[in-house]
């Protein structure tokens, strides 16, 4: 059970900030202002949010197992490539 919860933390650490960034970019596409600065600032916030979620996972869940967490992060990041090529 500890491995599954650790994997879930890894997926959430990558998927949640990426989803929020995609939502923010889609909102910004309706307006003329912003452009590349919105994307750049969003990417910086996405990286910071990922680090904060990983840090809080370590603080909140004391039985965190790092191997499943890191594997889930890598697999979630690789799934973006798979989604990109299937669209």
């Amino acid at each position: 059970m500890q491995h599954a919860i650790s994997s879930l933390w890894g997926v959430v650490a990558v998927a949640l900030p990426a989803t929020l960034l995609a939502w923010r970019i889609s909102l910004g596409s309706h307006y003329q202002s912003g452009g590349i600065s919105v994307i750049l600032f969003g990417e910086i916030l996405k990286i910071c949010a990922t680090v904060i979620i990983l840090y809080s996972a370590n603080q909140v869940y004391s039985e965190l197992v790092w191997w499943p967490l890191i594997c889930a992060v890598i697999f979630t990041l690789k799934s973006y490539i798979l989604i990109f090529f299937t669209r």
Side-chain angles (χ1 to χ4, degrees):
M1 188 66 171
Q2 297 167 344
H3 291 80
I5 294 173
S6 298
S7 296
L8 183 64
W9 274 107
V11 170
V12 167
V14 175
L16 183 66
T19 303
L20 292 175
L21 175 65
W23 177 67
R24 174 65 182 108
I25 290 173
S26 70
L27 285 179
S29 67
H30 299 299
Y31 304 105
Q32 192 71 9
S33 64
I36 194 70
S37 63
V38 171
I39 296 172
L40 181 63
F41 186 67
E43 283 291 334
I44 292 170
L45 285 178
K46 183 177 87 169
I47 292 169
C48 291
T50 300
V51 170
I52 289 170
I53 292 172
L54 290 173
Y55 176 77
S56 47
N58 189 26
Q59 298 299 316
V60 170
Y61 187 62
S62 62
E63 298 175 353
L64 191 70
V65 183
W66 283 99
W67 282 109
L69 182 127
I70 297 299
C71 287
V73 166
I74 291 170
F75 288 140
T76 305
L77 288 171
K78 293 296 180 182
S79 70
Y80 295 151
I81 295 172
L82 190 70
I83 291 170
F84 177 73
F85 285 122
T86 58
R87 288 191 143 224

